[in-house]
Amino acid sequence: MEFTRNRIDSVLVLWDIDHTLIETRGVGRASFAAAFEEVTGRPLERMPHITGRTEPDIYAATATLHGLEKPPPFPLFAEALAAAYIERQEQLHEQGRATAGAEHALAHLDSLPGIRQSVLSGNTREVSRIKLETFGLHKYLDLETGAYGDDDGHRPSLVPIAQARAARRNGGLFNRHNTVLIGDSLGDIETAHQGGARVIAVAAGGTPTAELTTADVVLVDLTDAPEIARAIRALTGA
Ligand SMILES: [Mg+2]
């Protein structure tokens, strides 16, 4: 029995945020535009492809697209972005949404012994917190343990950062055998493969199921919580 419990106690689940747990439905873009203009003095004209990238990476690429060779440092932008989200939090609540099944899936995993849930997101820590709190999802997640875009602009590097934080907070050792990333994009799959985690891809984010086949498991959406739990157990041997 003791052996079984120890094994179950060692699973770290890391959730991607955008298009996996929530959709900002335009509020994310509006917040980015406001922060970009405030910090650089330039109106946002266009954006690079952003899915699966980190915020510092997106900021740098956007600055390049606007011909800015030496944009203001990222921390200034991050601060303006958090303020822009706080200003729009009511709008985010009304216009955005949690994805289908997200809250129930988080609650179900939270009710199981030994599964630690946090996030692995290209968003900054502060914006991640605002987004999750807006939809009441933060209460199932240990946000201290997570890893964020402002920890490292290279997304795969966020996996060992989250694993080390989880080990410090909970004890144990987290590696690719007991860490599961749940995300919606090819970027999430590469992040898990390169960073050292199993990966469950959720097709509801818009990337076609056929393109997600390099994930360990592909789910249509998050509406079957027991199925997610079974997949986590199967991938980690818990
Ligand atoms: Mg995503």
Side-chain angles (χ1 to χ4, degrees), residues 217-235:
V217 173
V218 183
L219 301 176
V220 176
D221 56 29
L222 296 176
T223 55
D224 189 345
E227 185 191 13
I228 299 168
R230 276 196 299 276
I232 290 168
R233 288 217 169 87
L235 290 174

Side-chain angles (χ1 to χ4, degrees), residues 159-171:
V159 177
I161 291 173
Q163 288 168 331
R165 283 180 179 151
R168 271 200 301 278
R169 267 172 90 75
N170 308 308

Side-chain angles (χ1 to χ4, degrees), residues 20-21 23 97-105 202 204 221-224 228:
T20 298
L21 290 175
E23 310 266 2
R97 63 182 173 203
T99 56
E103 177 157 16
H104 181 62
V202 188
D221 56 29
L222 296 176
T223 55
D224 189 345
I228 299 168

Side-chain angles (χ1 to χ4, degrees), residues 19-64:
H19 305 290
T20 298
L21 290 175
I22 72 152
E23 310 266 2
T24 73
R25 303 176 89 192
V27 181
R29 165 107 186 186
S31 302
F32 189 99
F36 187 80
E37 183 161 0
E38 189 189 320
V39 169
T40 66
R42 294 278 304 272
L44 181 72
E45 282 157 18
R46 52 213 178 102
M47 284 192 77
H49 179 69
I50 63 168
T51 305
R53 296 174 77 171
T54 63
E55 206 68 76
D57 187 17
I58 295 166
Y59 173 63
T62 308
T64 302

Side-chain angles (χ1 to χ4, degrees), residues 89-143:
Q89 199 165 13
E90 215 175 286
Q91 189 193 354
L92 179 59
H93 187 258
E94 280 164 22
Q95 201 170 310
R97 63 182 173 203
T99 56
E103 177 157 16
H104 181 62
L106 288 168
H108 180 67
L109 295 185
D110 189 46
S111 74
L112 302 176
I115 291 183
R116 305 281 174 178
Q117 297 187 88
S118 188
V119 299
L120 188 144
S121 173
N123 285 289
T124 63
R125 176 182 287 266
E126 189 58 9
V127 168
S128 297
R129 184 187 64 76
I130 295 164
K131 284 181 174 178
L132 295 165
E133 282 183 8
T134 300
F135 300 101
L137 303 180
H138 62 293
K139 53 184 180 278
Y140 308 105
L141 298 158
D142 177 12
L143 296 181

